[in-house]
Amino acid sequence: MQFRKPKNDEKTVWTSHIIEKMMYYGLSENKIRNVMWRPTRVEKGIVPDTIAMMQPYGSNKKPKEIWVMFQEFKQMGKRKRRMISAWRYPAKSKEGVQIYIPDDVMELLKEIKKKKNH
């Protein structure tokens, strides 16, 4: 199966980081959108002004989760979502407890915040 790179549209902006993570974890644009449309859990992101959504998959014996992190913003009066990152979590995370965020994701988020403040 060949990976199809998602394209920006009027409501969604895809960062290069999330595209890399989608390829790494084998996640399609449809799977990411499915998590966004039907999240099992929604939490405040660890970075200011971000939202994280989760959807479980796997079995009862080996539960796993797919997480998507994004940021909402306005551009020319229209609400948009900047898709920042996505990952597969290899267990069931506890609600309200901050899960581990990979270092490269944290660096990207710091860069985005710097650009936003300039």
Side-chain angles (χ1 to χ4, degrees), residues 19-36:
I19 293 169
E20 290 172 16
K21 292 300 179 183
M22 289 167 65
M23 289 172 49
Y24 179 81
Y25 290 111
L27 298 169
S28 67
E29 178 181 353
N30 285 341
K31 187 61 180 170
I32 299 296
R33 289 188 187 274
N34 190 35
V35 172
M36 303 286 291

Side-chain angles (χ1 to χ4, degrees), residues 36-53:
M36 303 286 291
W37 290 327
R38 295 180 197 91
T40 301
R41 200 161 85 214
V42 178
E43 295 197 8
K44 182 179 173 187
I46 62 164
V47 174
D49 302 324
T50 61
I51 300 166
M53 294 183 170

Side-chain angles (χ1 to χ4, degrees), residues 43-52 69-73 82 84 98 101 105-106 108-117:
E43 295 197 8
K44 182 179 173 187
I46 62 164
V47 174
D49 302 324
T50 61
I51 300 166
M69 186 167 37
F70 64 95
Q71 187 175 50
E72 291 185 333
F73 67 101
R82 180 178 293 116
I84 297 172
Q98 184 176 335
I101 304 296
V105 175
M106 288 303 296
L108 173 74
L109 295 173
K110 287 176 186 175
E111 287 177 29
I112 290 171
K113 188 172 180 180
K114 276 185 199 175
K115 289 179 185 177
K116 184 179 175 185
N117 291 334

